[in-house]
Amino acid sequence: MRAGPTRGGAAVLEALVVPDELSARVPPEVRGSGRDDVRLMVSLGTEVSHHTFRDLPGQLRAGDVLVVNTSTTLPAAVNGRVGGEAVVVHFSTRGDDGRWAVELRSPDGAGSTLRRAGGPVGAVVRLPGGEHLVLDAPLVPGADRLWWATVSAKVPGLLYRYGRPIRYRYTAQDQPLSAYQTVFALPSPGGEGSAEMPSAARPFTAGLVAELVSRGVQFAPLTLHTGVASAEAHEPPYPERFEVPSTTAWLVNAARAGGGRILAVGTTAVRALESAVDAGGVVRAAAGWTDLVITPGRGVRAVDGLLTGLHEPEASHLLMLEAIAGRKALGRSYTEALRRLYLWHEFGDIHLILPNDTPHALNC
């Protein structure tokens, strides 16, 4: 169903169903004129306005800080075989002990995959180049999707030799790895990265970044390596590796003290920054693992606004958006997104949530 404009703003979240035709099936540079050729919906409280992403500089002001995730996207999907069965291995996250969390999926015959139960313990998956992995244990006891696996090869090298970007069924065709990198992506010394693109930053171009800087908008980098998030499962995010450097902590704290707004580019940036903030709202340099899930009950302490894509029903990210925007405002914006046929997923349109009152209002 498609929610109409008369539906109550908050109620639309419970009834939210995204029609298949609103899935962005190819990147905007394929269907339009460039990466930034997507629409931008701006929410200021319950007021919603509609723009193009190239209008972003006009929605921000000098002193604003955009917090960006510098994680690079890995070609994390690799073909394999379990006995006589063809599988696709999605490499998610490297553990501290050198093992990798992986998801086994079944090829669907059209270039994408279908959900498949993992296991059993000890199962051997043959990989290209004579390599293999062994399934050791479920990542979460009792679950069957993600498994810890011992891999015979160094995984980053394996991925760059034989892997491709993870692709879900709503996309029309394979895209090159470059289509899944953002302008902020930086290589990691250990070859680590994200299994799936931190996609809210995808529409940024070097030219747009330069224009924003010329207007006094600042950029604060951090890193969070995202794991796989199955489009079918609607599970909360698993623990992910992150780092908030001291320079970013200093910049965020200084900007807030001076009345600037802290606007996260993507839910990953929110998760990392909120994992490094204390109860008083002061951000500290931090690194390690975060299992933080942002909910309206927990609220946010360091982030004032958010630039993000449009999220699926039941996705845990909607709780984060509700914590930042409020339930009524979020319902209103999603009603508008459906009514105006905004596009969902990593190649889709973008939503800017701005604070509605003071320049550095806390939502906790």
Side-chain angles (χ1 to χ4, degrees), residues 64-68 184 204 208-209 212-213 217-221 251:
D64 285 345
V65 174
L66 292 177
V67 181
V68 297
F184 305 110
F204 282 90
L208 185 60
V209 170
L212 287 164
V213 171
V217 175
Q218 301 179 83
F219 288 84
L251 177 58

Side-chain angles (χ1 to χ4, degrees), residues 96 223-225 239-244 275 285-291:
D96 289 334
T223 302
L224 185 138
H225 297 312
E240 294 168 321
R241 194 184 301 273
F242 81 103
E243 180 181 6
V244 176
S275 297
W289 293 87
T290 179
D291 59 0

Side-chain angles (χ1 to χ4, degrees), residues 2 80 90 156 184 234 236-237 253 331 336 338 347:
R2 181 179 298 126
H90 287 178
F184 305 110
H234 302 302
N253 293 330
E336 281 288 292
L338 289 165
F347 299 138

Side-chain angles (χ1 to χ4, degrees), residues 222-233:
L222 50 70
T223 302
L224 185 138
H225 297 312
T226 67
V228 297
S230 171
E232 300 94 340

Side-chain angles (χ1 to χ4, degrees), residues 207-363:
L208 185 60
V209 170
E211 181 180 353
L212 287 164
V213 171
S214 73
R215 290 172 175 243
V217 175
Q218 301 179 83
F219 288 84
L222 50 70
T223 302
L224 185 138
H225 297 312
T226 67
V228 297
S230 171
E232 300 94 340
H234 302 302
E235 297 164 336
Y238 292 95
E240 294 168 321
R241 194 184 301 273
F242 81 103
E243 180 181 6
V244 176
S246 58
T247 50
T248 289
W250 179 89
L251 177 58
V252 167
N253 293 330
R256 289 176 67 81
R261 301 181 297 185
I262 309 304
L263 308 175
V265 179
T267 58
T268 62
V270 176
R271 196 180 194 208
L273 197 64
E274 291 290 327
S275 297
V277 68
D278 64 22
V282 177
V283 177
R284 315 284 186 183
W289 293 87
T290 179
D291 59 0
L292 179 64
V293 178
I294 307 293
T295 65
R298 189 270 186 190
V300 289
R301 300 174 183 140
V303 173
D304 301 311
L306 173 63
L307 194 71
T308 185
L310 294 161
H311 298 281
E312 288 282 352
E314 302 176 25
S316 62
H317 294 316
L318 285 179
L319 295 175
M320 178 189 294
L321 270 61
E322 184 180 341
I324 296 171
R327 188 165 184 79
K328 183 178 180 181
L330 185 61
R332 169 65 177 164
S333 62
Y334 270 68
T335 298
E336 281 288 292
L338 289 165
R339 185 172 72 88
R340 290 183 175 251
L341 306 182
Y342 274 68
L343 295 181
W344 259 251
H345 302 303
E346 65 265 33
F347 299 138
D349 297 317
I350 297 295
H351 183 197
L352 174 62
I353 300 171
L354 292 173
N356 191 32
D357 41 16
T358 65
H360 53 285
L362 294 181
N363 292 284

